[in-house]
Amino acid sequence: MNRDPSRDKVRSNKKHLRSYTGPYVRTSARSGGRVTAPVLTNSTARDVIIYNAPGVSGHSTQTQTSDISSVIDKYKELICSEYQYVSEYNSLPGEQVLLSERFTQPLIIQRHRDQKEREEDIRSSSRTSDQSFCLNRLFDPDNHRISPRSSSRSSDQSVRLNDLFDPDNRRISPRAVILQGNSGNGKSFTVQKIMMDWASGYLYKQRFNIVFHLKCKEINRMSGEKSLEEILSYSCSLTSDQISQVLQETPEKMLFIVDGFDELRLTQDDHPKSPHTDLNKRATPEVTLCALLRGRILPESFLLVTTRSTATDTLSKLLKGPQRFTEIMGFSSEGVEKYFQGFFRNEEFFRKAYEYVKANETLITACSIPVICWIICTVMRERSNDGSDLKSGLETTTSIYADFVSTLLEHHCQGLSQSVSALLRSLGQLAEKGMLEQQVLLDEEMVKETVADPAGSLFLSKFLFKRRVHQEIMFSFMHLSFQEFFTALYYVSLDGNEFKKKFTNVCLKGQFEAVVKFLFGLMNEEVRHTLKRKQGVCVHPNTQNILKDWLFQQRDSLETLHHLFELHEESFVTEVLNGTSLVSVWDRPLRRIDCWALLYCGQCCQSMKQLSLYRWGLTSEKLAMILPVLHKFEELKLKAESDSDMAAVIHAVLRGRTLSSQRVNMEAPMFISELHSSEETDIASVNLSISEDLSSVRIETDRTGISAVTVTFPQSSIINFDWTNVFQEIKTQEQIDDEDRDMPIFSLQSLPGLKMMELSVWSLTECHVTQMISFSENCPSLRELRIKCFHVSEDGLRLLQKSHTRPDCELTIERIDIFDSTRRKISLTAGVFSMVEFRPSQIFRPQIEN
């Protein structure tokens, strides 16, 4: 074959030009061809003029560049004007808010998660003995730290928007970036933020001269055949002529953002074997977009494509390379706080709202999903504007989930092939099947048996996992809690008989505790109304009766309080708990959500008999949450986290009882019969007995020297006494049988209105007797000081015989002989000393010895 010398020359010039790394200028020949040449720098030549044919006038590069720069600057101004505002899900026509008040940087990771990590992420903190009932618990809400099981949640590993196109560790820069994320996780907001920051000069300033935003929803609405230029003119504020000018610029400085690829209506015809490469050729909008994605059009340009996981595999096969995969994860705990701060511009109200949500594990973890964060903030703001209580409308977990489902169906769902009620029913059947088989990752065959179009479902995520030399497709719900919610939603849609079978044979015999809570939440009147009006889901009338009848048999457990909390029907709460004798938490730490349930149920009732929070986890913070209802319990058994928390419990209960006595008439006395500390300490337990007049605190220790201290005082006098000092005094004491050591009681001298003190000790020395007498003389309110011991030194007895006390204060020492059970009672009242021996079976009649 003869070679064309002119063609070889063109190839040579083209190769030379491509090797040049500086800026380029392009111009068009009359025939439609293009010539590319570098702009010369550091040269005496100011203008580079290229002629494609004799007799054709060229244009100055400076003039052309200036014109395009002017167009781009104008485009940036329009982007800033348009993109600075966002319309929210509930916005009325013309109602908008600033993007800066709503956008919070989400966590973005730059890797695929393997099956084990994905499964742990979906299960979150899993279903251990505490049966956690919360959403997306990827960080520990008690300590506000990232959970070690969810390292992908760490903000330290989050990719910044400015780094999406940076070279990797092999120095390869991606041409196309996939940004995957579930519905409501903030993909479109992130795209809007990128556009706004680029146009404002804060992002990609040196990397991209022009950024186009293509929305797949809009492309679906286009009809006829369109070139890329026409699609862009439909999607942005530039005219066709201006876009044509810009597209002649360097494509390696262009970024195309394709938002919502999963929503693009693709057919087999959209994947032609030989797609067109002509920039100006017209085809269906989907085919033209696919040509851009494949790199057939403007191959040197860059792409950022957002999609839900259900379309990621299709996208990756269609997209040019090199590719980079990233996943948007939602908010970190710090991100949630920033979102609240941006949403509530008033600092005082922001702090009040955030602190309320932070104190509830369910709400704070739910906020890691941006759309749920918006729902919670919106409800709180609207209730506040109405003059309602801040937390009104946020009482139950179920109501939040129901609002979330409604929001996604209304704003993220297009072209459903079935009715909403049919979709929810099929999702519920799939969720139940996964629950029965204890699976959160569901294989493709199982999913397709129940869900007609799993790839198009908003509530399912699709994943590819490696299986030896193959790939396997699996699906999951966003989180295990959504699987539980849809299972409950399916159950309440059944008729009475079917529901009773499912409830009795499935819910009560498996790991369905969270499903049962959702069942009670779905019985809430407002939730039922929302389901019927928006989703067409009707709850059978007998369902509520079945659940209520069952609950009457379970009334003595903490789970009962959670069920009642989700139901949120005050009259029924009172009816169930009227006969309750005991509420206990013995086998797991006390959580904040437990405190909310306890608080709500306590507020609905006038009185309850006993509360046992005996395991651990009772901190001063959690105590403050339940304090308003503690006075309604006749007896308490508590275990605090530390001595300081234990001291706070005593003070708070006594103070709360004092305040409540002005409002509630308590006929029976109140007891804290056990109060323990979880940390290593010498305090074994603290017992409180509280009545209208006098209160008594008994502190038992693990010391051999002093084993117990009991003090009695007027309840009304306890305001600011610090019990921590008492515990610290006991802990720092060594064995008190050393006469050089003081007894750990002197901090009690400042106890307001102290009436009586009783000590149980091993031995009393002369030094200790001196301290006892000094204590009685320095505590004017003290009327009686009792000491039980096994040994009294002879020096101590002689000192007692010579001592005097105040006339109105009696010092009594009861010595117990551990060998023959003989007891000796020694009294010192108003300077009169007496001592008598007796056995426990004898009737004690004191005799005065002169």
Side-chain angles (χ1 to χ4, degrees):
M1 181 181 294
N2 295 327
R3 298 175 65 97
D4 185 348
S6 63
R7 181 173 295 178
D8 289 340
K9 187 174 181 179
V10 170
R11 285 198 182 101
S12 177
N13 289 339
K14 188 175 182 181
K15 181 177 181 182
H16 173 72
L17 293 175
R18 286 184 178 276
S19 68
Y20 183 79
T21 58
Y24 288 81
V25 62
R26 292 172 184 264
T27 186
S28 299
R30 178 176 293 176
S31 62
R34 285 187 299 181
V35 178
T36 305
V39 176
L40 303 181
T41 57
N42 298 324
S43 171
T44 57
R46 293 296 181 184
D47 297 329
V48 177
I49 303 174
I50 301 172
Y51 298 95
N52 284 75
V56 179
S57 298
H59 296 280
S60 166
T61 300
Q62 285 185 338
T63 302
Q64 183 182 13
T65 302
S66 176
D67 289 344
I68 294 174
S69 296
S70 177
V71 168
I72 293 176
D73 289 342
K74 185 66 175 177
Y75 173 62
K76 287 182 176 181
E77 290 178 12
L78 292 171
I79 289 292
C80 287
S81 176
E82 179 184 352
Y83 281 68
Q84 66 177 321
Y85 293 104
V86 294
S87 294
E88 299 184 295
Y89 292 114
N90 63 345
S91 291
L92 297 173
E95 189 177 39
Q96 294 178 314
V97 296
L98 288 172
L99 174 65
S100 59
E101 295 178 3
R102 290 293 180 270
F103 180 79
T104 297
Q105 172 71 48
L107 294 174
I108 301 175
I109 62 171
Q110 189 178 303
R111 61 186 177 85
H112 289 277
R113 288 175 285 168
D114 59 29
Q115 181 172 345
K116 184 177 180 181
E117 184 182 3
R118 180 79 64 176
E119 190 169 8
E120 287 182 354
D121 200 13
I122 294 167
R123 290 185 185 279
S124 201
S125 58
S126 77
R127 298 297 171 193
T128 54
S129 60
D130 68 342
Q131 296 299 332
S132 300
F133 182 55
C134 62
L135 168 66
N136 214 10
R137 201 175 198 172
L138 300 175
F139 54 86
D140 179 359
D142 272 334
N143 300 313
H144 309 291
R145 297 191 302 261
I146 301 298
S147 168
R149 271 180 300 202
S150 301
S151 58
S152 59
R153 273 265 154 193
S154 173
S155 55
D156 295 336
Q157 298 184 12
S158 182
V159 179
R160 296 180 304 171
L161 297 179
N162 202 43
D163 301 333
L164 290 177
F165 293 91
D166 283 356
D168 60 19
N169 53 11
R170 293 172 294 180
R171 307 185 72 179
I172 298 175
S173 298
R175 283 281 171 187
V177 174
I178 299 171
L179 181 58
Q180 173 189 297
N182 290 326
S183 297
N185 258 18
K187 299 185 297 296
S188 294
F189 262 64
T190 300
V191 166
Q192 186 164 341
K193 178 65 172 175
I194 290 174
M195 292 295 296
M196 184 68 185
D197 284 358
W198 167 76
S200 302
Y202 302 131
L203 187 66
Y204 304 143
K205 188 173 183 179
Q206 303 300 323
R207 190 183 295 273
F208 300 122
N209 291 338
I210 187 79
V211 181
F212 291 107
H213 183 194
L214 295 168
K215 302 175 184 178
C216 290
K217 282 183 181 180
E218 294 180 354
I219 292 175
N220 286 337
R221 292 195 289 265
M222 295 180 188
S223 59
E225 295 187 338
K226 297 283 188 292
S227 66
L228 179 62
E229 175 187 306
E230 290 171 320
I231 292 175
L232 290 173
S233 66
Y234 183 89
S235 302
C236 72
S237 56
L238 298 179
T239 65
S240 296
D241 289 341
Q242 290 172 331
I243 291 172
S244 180
Q245 274 186 291
V246 171
L247 292 181
Q248 304 305 316
E249 275 290 276
T250 50
E252 61 270 21
K253 289 283 190 177
M254 293 181 190
L255 172 63
F256 292 90
I257 300 178
V258 181
D259 192 10
F261 175 80
D262 55 282
E263 296 176 299
L264 190 66
R265 298 196 188 105
L266 291 174
T267 64
Q268 291 298 323
D269 295 335
D270 297 329
H271 308 283
K273 293 182 179 178
S274 301
H276 69 78
T277 59
D278 188 347
L279 181 62
N280 299 311
K281 182 177 178 179
R282 290 183 173 184
T284 62
E286 294 80 13
V287 169
T288 300
L289 182 61
C290 287
L292 177 67
L293 294 174
R294 287 178 181 273
R296 301 297 190 264
I297 300 176
L298 302 175
E300 299 95 338
S301 65
F302 288 81
L303 293 164
L304 173 63
V305 188
T306 72
T307 182
R308 289 195 297 115
S309 63
T310 49
T312 303
D313 54 334
T314 302
L315 174 61
S316 63
K317 294 173 184 176
L318 184 66
L319 204 57
K320 68 183 180 183
Q323 296 178 10
R324 171 169 292 167
F325 174 86
T326 61
E327 183 173 2
I328 190 167
M329 303 284 291
F331 294 148
S332 65
S333 54
E334 295 84 0
V336 172
E337 183 173 4
K338 289 180 182 178
Y339 185 90
F340 270 73
Q341 196 162 17
F343 193 97
F344 301 109
R345 308 304 291 176
N346 180 281
E347 180 68 22
E348 181 181 353
F349 193 77
F350 146 66
R351 185 55 57 189
K352 185 178 180 181
Y354 178 70
E355 290 300 327
Y356 169 75
V357 172
K358 190 176 73 170
N360 186 317
E361 291 99 333
T362 304
L363 294 185
I364 192 65
T365 51
C367 284
S368 63
I369 295 180
V371 67
I372 290 189
C373 200
W374 174 83
I375 289 171
I376 291 174
C377 288
T378 300
V379 171
M380 296 181 82
R381 181 185 61 190
E382 289 181 354
R383 300 289 181 173
S384 175
N385 291 341
D386 293 341
S388 304
D389 182 41
L390 180 69
K391 58 182 179 294
S392 176
L394 292 178
E395 295 89 353
T396 73
T397 308
T398 312
S399 64
I400 297 169
Y401 279 61
D403 283 341
F404 175 73
V405 170
S406 297
T407 302
L408 289 196
L409 286 172
E410 185 176 351
H411 298 279
H412 291 262
C413 191
Q414 291 185 339
L416 278 178
S417 58
Q418 57 187 152
S419 67
V420 170
S421 58
L423 170 65
L424 295 179
R425 187 180 181 89
S426 64
L427 288 171
Q429 290 171 328
L430 175 64
E432 182 203 27
K433 194 177 290 186
M435 291 289 297
L436 291 171
E437 298 182 16
Q438 298 184 19
Q439 293 181 1
V440 294
L441 289 176
L442 314 170
D443 62 66
E444 188 175 21
E445 183 179 351
M446 177 194 289
V447 174
K448 288 185 175 180
E449 286 177 359
T450 52
V451 181
D453 180 23
S457 174
L458 290 172
F459 305 100
L460 292 177
S461 299
K462 179 181 176 182
F463 309 107
L464 289 175
F465 296 112
K466 294 178 182 179
R467 290 287 183 271
R468 300 176 66 179
V469 296
H470 305 288
Q471 290 181 345
E472 181 178 351
I473 296 175
M474 302 195 81
F475 291 84
S476 77
F477 289 87
M478 297 178 183
H479 185 262
L480 176 57
S481 56
F482 281 100
Q483 190 171 334
E484 294 160 339
F485 175 78
F486 279 109
T487 301
L489 194 60
Y490 167 56
Y491 283 171
V492 299
S493 68
L494 301 173
D495 64 40
N497 291 331
E498 284 185 283
F499 173 80
K500 189 170 185 178
K501 289 179 183 177
K502 291 285 189 182
F503 183 70
T504 305
N505 299 328
V506 179
C507 291
L508 302 182
K509 294 184 178 179
Q511 299 297 314
F512 277 63
E513 290 87 349
V515 174
V516 175
K517 291 186 180 73
F518 275 127
L519 287 176
F520 279 95
L522 291 169
M523 293 301 102
N524 177 269
E525 184 178 356
E526 187 174 341
V527 173
R528 278 187 291 136
H529 177 70
T530 300
L531 289 174
K532 184 177 181 179
R533 179 169 55 89
K534 292 190 174 182
Q535 279 81 54
V537 177
C538 296
V539 178
H540 196 278
N542 286 342
T543 301
Q544 192 169 24
N545 295 331
I546 293 169
L547 289 172
K548 286 184 173 181
D549 289 344
W550 173 79
L551 198 59
F552 269 106
Q553 304 169 24
Q554 316 294 321
R555 67 178 86 193
D556 289 347
S557 70
L558 181 63
E559 291 302 310
T560 298
L561 302 189
H562 281 288
H563 298 148
L564 293 170
F565 181 66
E566 285 299 310
L567 178 61
H568 232 74
E569 188 178 306
E570 186 173 337
S571 59
F572 182 67
V573 174
T574 305
E575 186 181 355
V576 170
L577 294 182
N578 265 346
T580 299
S581 60
L582 171 67
V583 176
S584 63
V585 183
W586 290 84
D587 58 347
R588 70 184 190 198
L590 184 72
R591 302 165 299 159
R592 291 188 185 91
I593 190 62
D594 298 329
C595 296
W596 286 122
L598 180 60
L599 176 65
Y600 169 73
C601 294
Q603 288 171 337
C604 294
C605 299
Q606 285 301 312
S607 65
M608 286 180 279
K609 292 186 178 179
Q610 186 184 92
L611 173 65
S612 296
L613 307 177
Y614 188 68
R615 189 61 173 168
W616 60 77
L618 181 60
T619 62
S620 54
E621 178 189 6
K622 293 171 186 175
L623 172 71
M625 295 171 65
I626 62 176
L627 180 60
V629 297
L630 281 185
H631 66 272
K632 295 189 176 185
F633 290 92
E634 296 176 11
E635 184 174 359
L636 301 176
K637 294 184 178 181
L638 310 173
K639 186 167 188 177
E641 280 289 283
S642 64
D643 285 349
S644 59
D645 288 325
M646 190 157 55
V649 169
I650 297 174
H651 178 264
V653 170
L654 292 172
R655 181 174 173 81
R657 179 72 176 196
T658 301
L659 296 175
S660 66
S661 64
Q662 301 170 8
R663 305 187 303 269
V664 181
N665 181 21
M666 296 293 293
E667 296 180 358
M670 173 185 179
F671 298 97
I672 295 186
S673 55
E674 294 180 39
L675 174 61
H676 298 259
S677 172
S678 298
E679 68 178 8
E680 290 186 10
T681 177
D682 295 308
I683 309 299
S685 69
V686 179
N687 304 326
L688 278 74
S689 175
I690 308 168
S691 64
E692 290 290 335
D693 299 321
L694 293 178
S695 298
S696 175
V697 176
R698 177 177 173 82
I699 303 171
E700 296 183 357
T701 79
D702 291 326
R703 291 278 185 191
T704 57
I706 179 169
S707 58
V709 179
T710 303
V711 288
T712 302
F713 46 88
Q715 180 202 342
S716 58
S717 68
I718 299 300
I719 300 295
N720 296 315
F721 185 73
D722 189 354
W723 292 92
T724 308
N725 292 337
V726 179
F727 298 142
Q728 290 299 320
E729 193 174 45
I730 293 174
K731 286 175 66 175
T732 55
Q733 279 293 316
E734 298 294 334
Q735 299 294 338
I736 67 166
D737 51 3
D738 184 343
E739 62 181 24
D740 295 328
R741 297 290 181 182
D742 293 334
M743 298 183 75
I745 59 170
F746 287 99
S747 60
L748 289 169
Q749 283 184 174
S750 58
L751 181 61
L754 177 62
K755 298 293 185 182
M756 187 273 287
M757 183 169 72
E758 180 179 288
L759 299 173
S760 296
V761 301
W762 176 256
S763 177
L764 278 180
T765 65
E766 181 181 7
C767 177
H768 300 148
V769 171
T770 302
Q771 294 167 28
M772 294 299 96
I773 296 172
S774 173
F775 186 95
S776 67
E777 291 174 347
N778 292 315
C779 188
S781 62
L782 188 67
R783 294 293 176 264
E784 186 175 1
L785 178 58
R786 301 176 187 170
I787 303 173
K788 293 182 178 180
C789 64
F790 292 102
H791 178 261
V792 181
S793 69
E794 294 298 325
D795 291 338
L797 280 176
R798 282 194 291 269
L799 179 61
L800 281 170
Q801 289 176 327
K802 298 177 182 179
S803 298
H804 298 273
T805 63
R806 299 189 343 261
D808 55 350
C809 180
E810 179 181 8
L811 172 61
T812 303
I813 299 174
E814 185 177 329
R815 178 188 174 280
I816 305 171
D817 193 313
I818 58 176
F819 298 106
D820 61 4
S821 300
T822 301
R823 299 194 178 193
R824 176 182 295 177
K825 183 173 182 179
I826 305 168
S827 298
L828 182 62
T829 306
V832 179
F833 176 82
S834 65
M835 182 169 60
V836 62
E837 289 188 0
F838 66 99
R839 293 182 179 275
S841 58
Q842 292 179 300
I843 299 176
F844 174 67
R845 293 184 177 84
Q847 298 179 9
I848 305 297
E849 294 185 9
N850 295 323

